[in-house]
């Protein structure tokens, strides 16, 4: 079964970024910011896994 991305919630995006881009070599390719239906806002970070655009890992950073 194919997948586009796996998304997980995160509390420390600085540590996440240092690990996935710095150590794993994944490229941060997109950050989306938007409202959350329950209130507040969130950032959605997408890291490319490998050289093509077929696999990503993503993290939600929730605010408020």
């Amino acid at each position: 079964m194919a997948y586009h991305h796996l998304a997980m919630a995160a509390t420390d995006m600085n540590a996440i970024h240092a690990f996935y881009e710095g150590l794993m070599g994944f490229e941060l390719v997109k950050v989306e910011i938007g409202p959350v239906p329950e209130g507040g806002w969130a950032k959605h970070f997408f890291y490319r896994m490998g050289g093509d655009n077929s696999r990503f890992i993503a993290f939600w950073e929730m605010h408020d």
Side-chain angles (χ1 to χ4, degrees):
M1 175 182 214
Y3 67 93
H4 180 264
H5 73 276
L6 169 68
M8 297 175 277
T11 58
D12 186 350
M13 277 310 299
N14 290 328
I16 295 290
H17 183 72
F19 178 77
Y20 283 98
E21 190 166 77
L23 292 174
M24 297 295 291
F26 295 173
E27 179 186 7
L28 177 62
V29 294
K30 187 174 188 179
V31 178
E32 294 180 347
I33 301 171
V36 176
E38 295 81 17
W41 57 281
K43 287 184 181 179
H44 201 187
F45 297 79
F46 291 85
Y47 290 87
R48 181 182 295 125
M49 300 169 54
D52 61 6
N53 284 327
S54 66
R55 293 179 299 145
F56 297 86
I57 188 167
F59 295 91
W60 283 105
E61 181 181 62
M62 309 300 279
H63 296 270
D64 300 330

